[in-house]
Amino acid sequence: MDHVSAFDEPLKKLLGGATAKVMAEHLDLHTVGDLLHHYPRRYEERGRLTALTELPLDEHVTVVAQVADARIMMFNNGRGKRLEVTLTDGSGRLQLVFFGHGVHKPHKELLPGRRAMFAGKASVFNRKMQLAHPTYQLLDAQDEDEATEAVDAFAGQLLPIYPACKQLDSWRIAKAVDTVLPSAQDAVDPLPATLRDGRGFVPLPEALLKIHRPRTRADVEAAKERLRWDEAFVLQVALARRRYADTQLPAVARRSVSGGLLDAFDAKLPFTLTEGQHKVTAEIFGDLATEHPMHRLLQGEVGSGKTMVALRAMLTVVDAGGQAAMLAPTEVLAQQHHRSVTEMMGELAEGGMLGGSDRGTKVVLLTGSMGVPARRRALLDLVTGEAGIVIGTHALIEDKVQFHDLGLVVVDEQHRFGVEQRDALRSKGKQPPHLLVMTATPIPRTVAMTVFGDLETSVLDQLPAGRSPIASHVVPAKDKPHFLDRAWERVREEVENGHQAYVVCPRIGDDADEAAEKKKGKKEAPPEDGAEKRPPLAVLEIAEQLRKGPLAGLRVEVLHGRMHPDDKDDVMRRFAAGRADVLVATTVIEVGVNVPNATAMVIMDADRFGVSQLHQLRGRVGRGSAPGLCLLVSEAHEASPARARLSAVAATLDGFELSRIDLEQRREGDVLGQAQSGVRSSLRVLSVIDDEEVIAAAREEAVRVVADDPALERLPELRTALDALLDKDREEYLDKG
């Protein structure tokens, strides 16, 4: 049978319309191939029971357990009845409830001592875990035929538990898989034979058979090892081909010129660059000097001097006759970058102006909220080439913006900047401009290799001289309220010593805030420790309390995203100039805000922020010569995962270490993010966290294969697998990447 027809066969043909519709709508499975790649999440041994104590809340779960007791309860004066069944598995107990007419069958079948598989959504009722109206399948039916059938339905000793949904239980998915499993024989193997034999992998049909119907745990491992490699390898080949195609694109080489802007800039630098900055600069300048567009990701801890590296690259491009654009995710940041670049450049940023350097250029700012005259002037400077450097928000990408000769695009904080936008900017150059993407969020190597796999990576891991260490402590506000009092005293002491402080809150606290929450229909997630949860603390309320209470007499200002851009800028300027002591803010200060005199930060409800976010926020203090202090205030229970997370942040300043912890906590779904959904949805058994070696090895093999045969002419099976991975939207995603 031709493989295409077997794997691309719509499920409707084999499973019937109703089942196929549920699979398509709720599990995104449309073809036989899709279902064969819908792997079990875990396996139950028939003799072993799932730990009822470890059920995740609000998830669709499947448990195997024994009935301890079952009783019919009357309510509503005898008009209504419900069946309550208690399950046990030796580790814990779980309550099931059935209502109304649905009680008769389970009441007859779920007798004490019987074992069954149950599936439903785990919820809490009266502080007890329960499944309401679960579906179930008996595993030790009295009737012999029934018993054999139940056993046969789950061939082998391991019961596969599939990722399921409310409309379709794990065992109904298992039955559907049985129907399509014979097609596994027609699976076309994407791995080149030399690679497969060299690594001793089982053939693909066998791997599919073993992952769905394993006889032993060893079967599962062999299958996973093989399927992991398929995923990693096909994805890395896609990325390697992307990089290869990029090296074929034309670009204008921008070689450094002596006696130009860069030399003049370097001559007035009051400090020397770190070894790391020199190394990374050499990599970037090397890329800029080639006739193919640079695609480089520059990772560096907060304050490691990325902006300096980027600015020197921009000056090189201006020296070589081109223009450079820097894109920031927010107006506050664009204004700030503009300010710091013009300050660093001094008279070199005033080309063509009175008192400007004759070697200088113009540095213009372009944001959405600029007035019309200023905007018109900026656009004119870009078209004529008068402005060598432009800094702005995504307003830069609008159709109206024309460049004289765009040579380099620097993108700050990539994770807030969509792939489409990079693409739109790329089309602004006469030829594709060079691209440098910067991020202060440390990205573990594996994520860099998958999400940013089309970029070469440079890492700045030294802090420049003169940066101070930051001490971080968790303040348990609930268990030890006097610790919080002490925290405010510490803030006061910092201010008395001539320094400044930030207080960060998760929410703004005006009416629009509440309305937005209501509109989204967002309910607070139930807390981890079962306590009633209050709404997150808000900037406006906390600022008010501090002014009246512990920080009375200090100059307390607020900053949040819903203020007018001019007001925001005004507050930031006052704070930077030392005319305010304490800034109470939302996470708008998370990236790029640079006030060297700010030494203390208090983060309220710190458990409501992610690990990487806390690390980013903390990077705002200790930017000068005085040591920094970061206090993480939380009411989370001492034994809760939230507190463990905060302790991890307090324990290390190493962003890469924290990004690993963060990744392990969130799993990779969020990390790859929605923008990367094309690649994300293709990862089934591969874990971006645990499979670093597999991903790295697959990347090496992929580079070798693509270098040897860019069009994959000698590997038709691999080409077929690539086409399947890169269906239209994913292809576009990778193209724009």
Side-chain angles (χ1 to χ4, degrees):
M1 193 196 317
D2 168 23
H3 137 267
V4 177
S5 58
F7 259 49
D8 295 345
E9 193 78 52
L11 287 170
K12 199 150 90 190
K13 269 183 138 165
L14 289 162
L15 305 176
T19 306
K21 187 167 182 254
V22 172
M23 286 194 166
E25 281 175 14
H26 297 278
L27 298 169
D28 196 22
L29 306 174
H30 307 273
T31 63
V32 167
D34 289 344
L35 182 53
L36 284 173
H37 288 300
H38 185 71
Y39 308 130
R41 180 180 282 164
R42 55 191 170 83
Y43 303 86
E44 284 303 337
E45 285 167 32
R46 183 158 295 119
R48 219 194 68 216
L49 303 174
T50 319
L52 295 182
T53 46
E54 287 163 28
L55 291 187
L57 249 186
D58 287 330
E59 267 189 43
H60 202 80
V61 296
T62 304
V63 298
V64 179
Q66 197 162 27
V67 177
D69 64 57
R71 55 199 175 284
I72 291 233
M73 317 284 276
M74 296 299 191
F75 59 93
N76 213 348
N77 294 332
R79 283 201 294 280
K81 60 166 115 170
R82 67 173 184 266
L83 171 66
E84 289 185 3
V85 179
T86 308
L87 302 182
T88 173
D89 69 349
S91 79
R93 297 167 92 72
L94 176 67
Q95 192 90 21
L96 310 179
V97 279
F98 299 89
F99 292 101
H101 299 301
V103 306
H104 306 304
K105 186 165 181 263
H107 192 219
K108 284 211 302 281
E109 295 183 334
L110 298 178
L111 305 170
R114 295 194 73 175
R115 296 185 58 243
M117 265 168 81
F118 300 88
K121 197 167 170 187
S123 57
V124 168
F125 182 70
N126 273 344
R127 310 192 92 151
K128 284 202 191 92
M129 268 288 207
Q130 74 163 25
L131 301 184
H133 269 292
T135 49
Y136 61 90
Q137 175 154 356
L138 298 170
L139 293 180
D140 50 3
Q142 308 327 63
D143 174 349
E144 269 312 294
D145 296 344
E146 234 180 280
T148 359
E149 205 174 299
V151 173
D152 288 350
F154 302 101
Q157 279 308 287
L158 294 170
L159 305 179
I161 308 289
Y162 286 90
C165 61
K166 186 172 153 201
Q167 297 75 3
L168 208 59
D169 307 320
S170 169
W171 49 85
R172 282 175 49 208
I173 295 173
K175 278 205 166 99
V177 169
D178 284 336
T179 311
V180 301
L181 210 48
S183 305
Q185 290 314 316
D186 306 305
V188 165
D189 204 324
L191 295 191
T194 49
L195 192 159
R196 198 173 57 230
D197 303 340
R199 291 184 178 265
F201 290 137
V202 298
L204 185 55
E206 187 184 328
L208 288 170
L209 218 57
K210 283 185 164 164
I211 196 146
H212 288 292
R213 297 296 170 262
R215 300 263 157 198
T216 62
R217 294 268 170 199
D219 279 357
V220 176
E221 271 326 296
K224 276 191 174 167
E225 186 188 23
R226 165 64 219 251
L227 295 165
R228 238 179 239 137
W229 248 92
D230 278 21
E231 285 181 11
F233 180 70
V234 173
L235 177 57
Q236 290 302 335
V237 167
L239 293 165
R241 285 186 75 190
R242 183 73 261 134
R243 288 194 300 274
Y244 179 82
D246 284 339
T247 62
Q248 305 305 301
L249 286 174
V252 180
R254 312 280 177 175
R255 298 187 179 87
S256 41
V257 177
S258 65
L261 258 173
L262 181 65
D263 287 354
F265 176 76
D266 284 351
K268 47 189 239 64
L269 270 185
F271 51 81
T272 52
L273 298 177
T274 64
E275 209 178 308
Q277 283 174 316
H278 277 301
K279 181 180 108 288
V280 169
T281 298
E283 293 171 345
I284 292 171
F285 283 12
D287 285 357
L288 288 174
T290 61
E291 297 188 341
H292 304 294
M294 158 168 85
H295 283 112
R296 193 167 278 282
L297 173 69
L298 172 56
Q299 295 188 153
E301 281 287 2
V302 174
S304 57
K306 292 185 300 297
T307 315
M308 174 62 69
V309 168
L311 177 54
R312 292 182 72 245
M314 287 159 81
L315 294 174
T316 299
V317 169
V318 176
D319 276 343
Q323 290 170 296
M326 185 181 214
L327 260 165
T330 63
E331 296 214 349
V332 169
L333 259 174
Q335 286 161 340
Q336 184 142 350
H337 278 313
H338 182 253
R339 210 163 30 235
S340 58
V341 165
T342 44
E343 276 166 17
M344 284 198 264
M345 286 176 64
E347 77 280 6
L348 296 174
E350 295 163 3
M353 296 184 224
L354 215 59
S357 159
D358 49 359
R359 278 186 294 192
T361 184
K362 258 190 186 175
V363 179
V364 300
L365 176 69
L366 192 63
T367 62
S369 68
M370 273 167 87
V372 175
R375 189 180 170 80
R376 197 173 289 142
R377 209 163 43 245
L379 290 173
L380 193 63
D381 286 341
L382 287 180
V383 171
T384 58
E386 190 105 345
I389 294 177
V390 57
I391 296 172
T393 53
H394 48 254
L396 273 181
I397 306 168
E398 289 168 13
D399 296 342
K400 293 193 278 295
V401 182
Q402 297 296 320
F403 289 86
H404 176 64
D405 178 14
L406 180 60
L408 168 67
V409 176
V410 178
V411 177
D412 190 24
E413 291 304 327
Q414 148 69 25
H415 63 288
R416 295 154 180 257
F417 185 76
V419 181
E420 285 80 4
Q421 292 151 307
R422 277 203 284 185
D423 203 37
L425 245 178
R426 194 179 274 179
S427 61
K428 295 272 183 203
K430 296 195 172 69
Q431 289 187 325
H434 297 281
L435 176 69
L436 179 65
V437 172
M438 303 196 297
T439 175
T441 311
I443 303 164
R445 208 168 129 240
T446 44
V447 178
M449 283 190 288
T450 42
V451 180
F452 299 102
D454 58 332
L455 301 171
E456 300 297 330
T457 307
S458 297
V459 179
L460 272 176
D461 44 15
Q462 289 168 289
L463 283 189
R467 286 297 295 268
S468 311
I470 305 170
S472 309
H473 304 284
V474 179
V475 178
K478 208 169 191 167
D479 320 339
K480 301 179 176 159
H482 59 283
F483 275 37
L484 185 56
D485 302 340
R486 176 74 190 115
W488 300 126
E489 277 169 33
R490 283 290 290 115
V491 169
R492 207 176 251 291
E493 287 162 17
E494 289 298 312
V495 172
E496 279 160 9
N497 289 330
H499 298 302
Q500 292 159 283
Y502 297 100
V503 177
V504 182
C505 305
R507 221 165 44 104
I508 298 174
D510 54 12
D511 304 338
D513 222 22
E514 319 288 316
E517 294 291 307
K518 275 209 181 76
K519 193 168 168 193
K520 283 191 207 146
K522 263 174 78 178
K523 293 247 187 342
E524 268 301 316
E528 290 154 345
D529 49 13
E532 268 308 295
K533 204 152 205 188
R534 53 168 175 70
L537 293 170
V539 166
L540 300 174
E541 291 152 20
I542 291 289
E544 198 49 36
Q545 289 168 21
L546 293 176
R547 284 185 188 123
K548 289 183 178 156
L551 301 184
L554 300 187
R555 296 167 300 175
V556 176
E557 297 255 8
V558 300
L559 180 71
H560 58 74
R562 230 176 271 125
M563 287 161 63
H564 187 279
D566 293 349
D567 297 342
K568 276 195 273 203
D569 206 41
D570 208 34
V571 169
M572 267 324 299
R573 238 170 250 225
R574 278 206 303 280
F575 189 65
R579 294 204 299 276
D581 303 314
V582 178
L583 188 61
V584 183
T586 54
T587 54
V588 288
I589 63 159
E590 178 184 352
V591 275
V593 173
N594 185 17
V595 181
N597 189 43
T599 51
M601 176 178 285
V602 181
I603 303 180
M604 308 302 290
D605 276 342
D607 46 282
R608 310 232 181 189
F609 299 98
V611 169
S612 295
Q613 207 174 20
L614 290 169
H615 181 61
Q616 286 286 329
L617 286 165
R618 169 171 66 184
R620 301 293 120 219
V621 295
R623 297 175 79 85
S625 49
L629 171 70
C630 178
L631 301 173
L632 306 166
V633 179
S634 165
E635 292 189 359
H637 184 50
E638 199 166 353
S640 66
R643 270 290 281 281
R645 211 165 54 226
L646 295 182
S647 305
V649 174
T652 176
L653 289 172
D654 178 346
F656 284 91
E657 173 55 29
L658 288 174
S659 72
R660 271 204 91 78
I661 294 171
D662 195 19
L663 197 49
E664 277 160 16
Q665 298 225 333
R666 295 189 306 179
R667 298 311 294 178
E668 51 270 16
D670 305 347
V671 179
L672 300 195
Q674 285 316 295
Q676 272 77 12
S677 60
V679 174
R680 166 75 194 119
S681 51
S682 65
L683 299 184
R684 313 246 187 212
V685 280
L686 189 68
S687 150
V688 177
I689 302 162
D690 309 321
D691 297 327
E692 190 165 328
E693 285 76 26
V694 175
I695 293 171
R699 180 173 170 134
E700 273 170 37
E701 293 274 9
V703 170
R704 197 173 310 138
V705 165
V706 171
D708 180 45
D709 179 6
L712 305 179
E713 279 160 6
R714 300 190 292 284
L715 297 167
E717 297 84 2
L718 177 56
R719 265 213 325 272
T720 307
L722 260 186
D723 295 342
L725 170 73
L726 303 179
D727 52 31
K728 273 288 135 290
D729 58 322
R730 295 182 193 158
E731 180 71 82
E732 266 164 36
Y733 153 68
L734 282 172
D735 266 345
K736 290 177 180 168

